[in-house]
Amino acid sequence: QEQLVESGGGSVQSGGSLRLSCAASERIFNMYSMGWFRQAPGKERLGVAAIDSDGSTNYADSVKGRFTISRDNAKNTLYLQMNSLKPEDTAMYYCASNTYYSGGAYLATPLYNYWGQGTQVTVSS
């Protein structure tokens, strides 16, 4: 069974850093694109960062310059390094894999067909 398992969430103060990890089943790791998404209570799930099979990356404007997405192909693991965290970054963070649509590091939630269970990130002021 294909799966994505996130880890690395936690509670930090504003300005701090966290690194999220996502361990993926081999078949769904890096097929077309993989991404990190987040959802705050009462809000929609939005794309934060994505990386395609060629290594091209894409970031939401709100995290550009602070977050970095990367992957380790040997470990089938996706990462999200989050620096200079702000209270508005507080959310559940999800890892996702897109195995249908080629051509880019998409941030659009509907294009992703495999999802992890999420890991909570809380940033206090």
Side-chain angles (χ1 to χ4, degrees):
Q1 184 175 355
E2 314 303 345
Q3 62 177 358
L4 299 164
V5 181
E6 302 97 334
S7 60
S11 297
V12 296
Q13 290 192 325
S14 182
S17 298
L18 284 173
R19 188 175 83 153
L20 306 183
S21 299
C22 172
S25 301
E26 184 174 3
R27 193 185 76 80
I28 62 172
F29 181 77
N30 201 31
M31 278 203 62
Y32 287 128
S33 60
M34 295 194 71
W36 288 98
F37 298 77
R38 66 186 181 188
Q39 187 170 21
K43 296 190 176 182
E44 65 178 321
R45 189 175 300 185
L46 296 174
V48 173
I51 184 168
D52 71 9
S53 57
D54 294 329
S56 296
T57 58
N58 191 16
Y59 296 92
D61 288 342
S62 59
V63 306
K64 281 181 181 176
R66 300 188 298 122
F67 290 12
T68 303
I69 188 171
S70 63
R71 63 173 189 252
D72 185 332
N73 293 337
K75 296 181 178 180
N76 293 338
T77 301
L78 184 73
Y79 301 101
L80 184 68
Q81 177 66 45
M82 305 186 294
N83 299 327
S84 303
L85 282 161
K86 305 175 181 179
E88 51 264 43
D89 294 319
T90 295
M92 185 72 78
Y93 282 71
Y94 298 90
C95 169
S97 174
N98 155 37
T99 65
Y100 279 132
Y101 302 98
S102 62
Y106 301 112
L107 291 176
T109 305
L111 299 183
Y112 288 79
N113 54 321
Y114 288 94
W115 292 86
Q117 82 289 348
T119 185
Q120 178 68 37
V121 172
T122 303
V123 184
S124 58
S125 57

